[in-house]
Amino acid sequence: MKLKNSLFALLAGSLFFVSCSSDDDNVSVASGAYENGTFVLNEGNSNPSTGTVSFIGNDGTVEQDIFTAVNPDAPAIGTYLQSMFFSDDYAFIISGQANKVTVVNRNTFEFVASIGGDNFSNPRYGAVINGKAYITNTSNYADPDDFLTVIDLASFTTSTVELNNYAERVLTENGKLYIANGYYGSGTSVTVFNPANNTVEAVIELGDSPNSFDEEDGALYVMGDSKISRINLANNTVSGTIELTAEMSGAKNLTISDNFIYYTVGTSVYSLSLNSTTLPTEALFSYESGSQWGAMYGFNVSEGKVYIADGGDFASDSEIYIYGTNGTLINTHVVGVGPNSFYFNN
């Protein structure tokens, strides 16, 4: 597809490239080729061409590096791809090394904008609320001086808000942003951020470093180094905890699907109901990995299926595995270099 009517602009310290495409562009793209399936984000390595996005259709077909296929003339999305997030027709792809966000149409993957500049410093995760995207930035792993980059989606201009805390994963609920203040054992809280006035409304202390979280029915479930914490979002207090056993050391990847909490330990998958007060004693299933650093590198659960990404050797294309929640292997697919996350577009 040939990009047309292209425009370069420098606004608010951020360089962005905006493209508009005519109706006679690639027919398969115009028909919404990617509106039913799963995006796999491939982190890549220091080679600029290795950061890619794969797509698995609901019919099981797999397409590799769909961004380049659809947009051969657009600016590269960068490498060390960290995460993706959605809003309406947009998908946002974060490159930590390139300090930028690439915006595409989520259903056609046509290029919309490349947003970077001084208002980014190792961007990590993002979410959208009230017409603005909020992206956490880990400016210095050693110090709690992280900040948010705020993108106005009407103009793609950027600004920043200091958090004076660690900032990693982020989600939205009840008109607020909830930000995990922890990574690699640092930070022990969750920040409640009010986007209406760009202020920190509360900091909920956990006494534990959060590595993943998810929301369901007005509660935030947080996986930490030593326990799972339940936060009541009505009053921002911890309403319950489940202590991790020694066997559960290193638990991560907490996600919620169909009223069950799923998480991983090593190469094993566990689950418990939302109202459970005890941990499971047996894994749902385990898989085998020969990767030194990439075992269970990506994980998600949707519609009765468990998605696992194995990082492999981070130099060549690797594999993802799709299981039923009963542990039955459904499919194995080759994707790109260092697959790290799954995003469902249905």
Side-chain angles (χ1 to χ4, degrees):
M1 179 187 69
K2 183 69 173 178
L3 294 173
K4 300 176 181 178
N5 302 324
S6 301
L7 173 67
F8 280 96
L10 185 64
L11 291 174
S14 297
L15 179 67
F16 71 88
F17 175 95
V18 178
S19 169
C20 299
S21 300
S22 65
D23 292 337
D24 61 358
D25 282 332
N26 189 305
V27 174
S28 66
V29 169
S31 65
Y34 305 113
E35 61 184 340
N36 289 295
T38 302
F39 297 113
V40 182
L41 195 67
N42 303 303
E43 182 175 297
N45 52 39
S46 58
N47 184 331
S49 65
T50 54
T52 65
V53 181
S54 301
F55 180 76
I56 304 171
N58 287 345
D59 61 357
T61 58
V62 180
E63 295 183 54
Q64 308 291 6
D65 195 5
I66 60 174
F67 179 81
T68 302
V70 175
N71 309 289
D73 300 322
I77 56 177
T79 191
Y80 291 118
L81 302 184
Q82 176 59 38
S83 62
M84 286 177 63
F85 60 101
F86 298 133
S87 175
D88 296 328
D89 290 335
Y90 289 145
F92 303 81
I93 307 165
I94 297 177
S95 170
Q97 185 182 62
N99 282 324
K100 73 174 186 178
V101 176
T102 300
V103 188
V104 298
N105 181 294
R106 66 186 291 175
N107 295 322
T108 67
F109 239 68
E110 289 178 287
F111 175 82
V112 176
S114 184
I115 309 168
D118 294 339
N119 286 336
F120 293 92
S121 180
N122 191 19
R124 301 287 290 168
Y125 297 90
V128 171
I129 189 169
N130 298 334
K132 294 180 179 179
Y134 293 81
I135 297 170
T136 58
N137 289 259
T138 304
S139 56
N140 186 339
Y141 281 108
D143 299 312
D145 59 353
D146 299 348
F147 63 92
L148 293 173
T149 300
V150 184
I151 303 174
D152 187 325
L153 299 185
S155 62
F156 294 124
T157 56
T158 65
S159 58
T160 62
V161 178
E162 297 296 328
L163 290 175
N164 298 312
N165 206 332
Y166 300 101
E168 183 74 342
R169 297 179 184 270
V170 57
L171 57 79
T172 63
E173 186 66 24
N174 300 327
K176 307 292 174 61
L177 291 171
Y178 295 87
I179 303 165
N181 307 134
Y183 40 72
Y184 307 123
S186 298
T188 58
S189 59
V190 170
T191 287
V192 183
F193 182 84
N194 190 338
N197 52 20
N198 279 348
T199 60
V200 173
E201 192 169 280
V203 177
I204 306 167
E205 287 295 338
L206 302 173
D208 202 35
S209 184
N211 63 54
S212 50
F213 62 5
D214 206 352
E215 184 275 339
E216 187 72 19
D217 295 334
L220 189 67
Y221 296 82
V222 186
M223 177 64 75
D225 291 337
S226 65
K227 60 191 173 186
I228 300 174
S229 299
R230 183 185 187 276
I231 298 173
N232 184 339
L233 299 185
N235 55 22
N236 294 330
T237 60
V238 177
S239 59
T241 60
I242 304 176
E243 299 294 326
L244 298 179
T245 62
E247 292 76 17
M248 295 292 177
S249 176
K252 60 181 182 179
N253 292 321
L254 184 149
T255 188
I256 298 172
S257 181
D258 295 329
N259 293 314
F260 277 85
I261 297 171
Y262 294 85
Y263 64 94
T264 68
V265 180
T267 57
S268 296
V269 177
Y270 293 82
S271 75
L272 67 157
S273 65
L274 284 177
N275 59 4
S276 178
T277 58
T278 59
L279 294 173
T281 57
E282 294 184 2
L284 288 177
F285 65 90
S286 302
Y287 88 104
E288 293 185 4
S289 173
S291 177
Q292 183 176 5
W293 307 109
M296 202 70 77
Y297 203 60
F299 179 80
N300 212 336
V301 183
S302 177
E303 297 183 350
K305 295 180 180 179
V306 179
Y307 295 74
I308 293 172
D310 193 89
D313 60 6
F314 294 96
S316 56
D317 290 347
S318 193
E319 293 181 324
I320 66 101
Y321 309 96
I322 304 174
Y323 286 85
T325 53
N326 61 358
T328 300
L329 180 64
I330 298 172
N331 265 316
T332 300
H333 297 295
V334 175
V335 288
V337 176
N340 66 13
S341 46
F342 302 91
Y343 304 90
F344 307 112
N345 195 31
N346 295 301

